[in-house]
Amino acid sequence: MRKLNLFLVVIAVFFMQSTAFAASDSQAAALTPAGFWKTIDDVTGKPKAIVQLWETPDKIVFGRVLKIFPRPGHDQNEVCVACDGDKHNKRVVGMVILENLKQSTDDRASWTGGKILDPKNGKTYQSNIRLVDNGRKLDVKGYIGTPLFGRTQTWVRVADLEKA
């Protein structure tokens, strides 16, 4: 009987440790914005694009447009007419629109100090991002001057690009 009790205790401890490791692994995965995100128009509530975010070896986050959802009068070959410099008249699909975000030391779910380009008007804004809803959503803020007066969009993580 004692051997059976000892066996059950060992099994219980094993399962508790496995659960703890699984929870910490999912939290670690949730602490990165790297992946694919569906941008949502904050006026219409409809999807606008799929953006891929990635981290460099230095843990700096960038993002590029992978796909644009069809809108009347627009297609996948849309170019940024209003953009300046090397992005002027370049295709929006493939364009890097989010740059140089660094993870906050105060809030591990936030990245700050970057820039975001709005290809619709060609303007570049300061930007911060923050993972919310256990990493399933991303609050993306663009602002001029202070974040207090900026605009935030919520992007939704895409698990399967084929279904996006």
Side-chain angles (χ1 to χ4, degrees):
M1 188 64 150
R2 283 190 162 179
K3 287 184 181 180
L4 179 62
N5 285 342
L6 180 61
F7 176 75
L8 292 175
V9 168
V10 169
I11 294 295
V13 168
F14 172 77
F15 280 117
M16 286 189 300
Q17 286 180 340
S18 297
T19 304
F21 286 127
S24 66
D25 285 346
S26 67
Q27 287 172 346
L31 280 181
T32 179
F36 303 99
W37 298 90
K38 185 182 299 185
T39 69
I40 309 295
D41 188 301
D42 50 349
V43 175
T44 66
K46 295 185 179 194
K48 291 184 356 182
I50 299 293
V51 175
Q52 177 186 18
L53 299 187
W54 72 93
E55 282 185 288
T56 67
D58 297 335
K59 301 290 185 187
I60 299 172
V61 174
F62 290 83
R64 129 181 32 246
V65 177
L66 289 185
K67 174 183 177 180
I68 298 174
F69 289 97
R71 299 180 311 193
H74 297 87
D75 61 22
Q76 288 292 315
N77 295 317
E78 184 176 339
V79 296
C80 189
V81 177
C83 289
D84 292 328
D86 63 342
K87 294 181 179 173
H88 179 69
N89 282 336
K90 298 293 186 211
R91 287 187 62 211
V92 174
V93 172
M95 185 178 288
V96 174
I97 63 164
L98 198 60
E99 301 180 40
N100 297 319
L101 289 151
K102 296 173 185 85
Q103 191 170 31
S104 170
T105 54
D106 298 332
D107 179 1
R108 305 303 288 166
S110 294
W111 286 257
T112 62
K115 295 191 181 283
I116 189 166
L117 169 72
D118 183 347
K120 192 190 297 185
N121 63 22
K123 293 182 181 178
T124 301
Y125 303 93
Q126 292 170 288
S127 183
N128 297 332
I129 61 174
R130 185 169 198 290
L131 288 166
V132 294
D133 196 15
N134 292 322
R136 290 186 292 262
K137 294 182 180 177
L138 185 70
D139 283 345
V140 180
K141 179 175 279 258
Y143 61 94
I144 297 173
T146 176
L148 189 61
F149 301 112
R151 186 175 121 207
T152 301
Q153 282 188 343
T154 300
W155 295 1
V156 179
R157 191 179 292 270
V158 174
D160 185 354
L161 282 178
E162 299 294 320
K163 295 179 182 177

